[in-house]
Amino acid sequence: GARFAALQSHQGLGLSLLDAGEIDRGVASLRRAIVDGQAFLERTPTNDTARYQVALVRLQLGETLIQAGKRREGCREVRAGMEIWRELT
């Protein structure tokens, strides 16, 4: 669906922005990807591909936040991503 495509687009943009040193904009784009992914999962909660993708973005966001000195928030995102992955196994 369109929400899943938006998740992927925001994730790709976010990672590109991070690579270019645009940390704030990259983080914002990763957050939008998570929102889009969660909206998609509300309609299709058993879509494991989307669940995996949301987990991956949460881990990417968490790692970025930790590197930016926002440890508590970063750890929350990493924990959320790992919880999704644990549910998938």
Side-chain angles (χ1 to χ4, degrees):
R3 286 287 190 163
F4 188 73
L7 179 160
Q8 293 178 310
S9 294
H10 283 127
Q11 179 189 22
L13 175 61
L15 295 175
S16 293
L17 288 166
L18 293 174
D19 286 344
E22 297 282 339
I23 304 302
D24 291 340
R25 291 176 62 206
V27 164
S29 189
L30 292 178
R31 288 186 198 283
R32 281 192 299 274
I34 292 168
V35 169
D36 289 330
Q38 289 174 330
F40 181 76
L41 287 171
E42 285 177 12
R43 288 187 313 241
T44 57
T46 59
N47 186 314
D48 287 346
T49 301
R51 292 174 71 208
Y52 171 86
Q53 201 69 31
V54 170
L56 180 60
V57 176
R58 283 192 172 275
L59 292 168
Q60 291 165 331
L61 176 59
E63 180 181 343
T64 299
L65 291 169
I66 290 168
Q67 290 174 357
K70 298 178 180 179
R71 286 187 157 165
R72 185 170 298 202
E73 186 179 2
C75 286
R76 276 195 304 264
E77 290 297 335
V78 168
R79 210 171 7 260
M82 294 301 293
E83 181 60 33
I84 295 168
W85 275 359
R86 194 174 8 257
E87 293 169 3
L88 289 170
T89 59

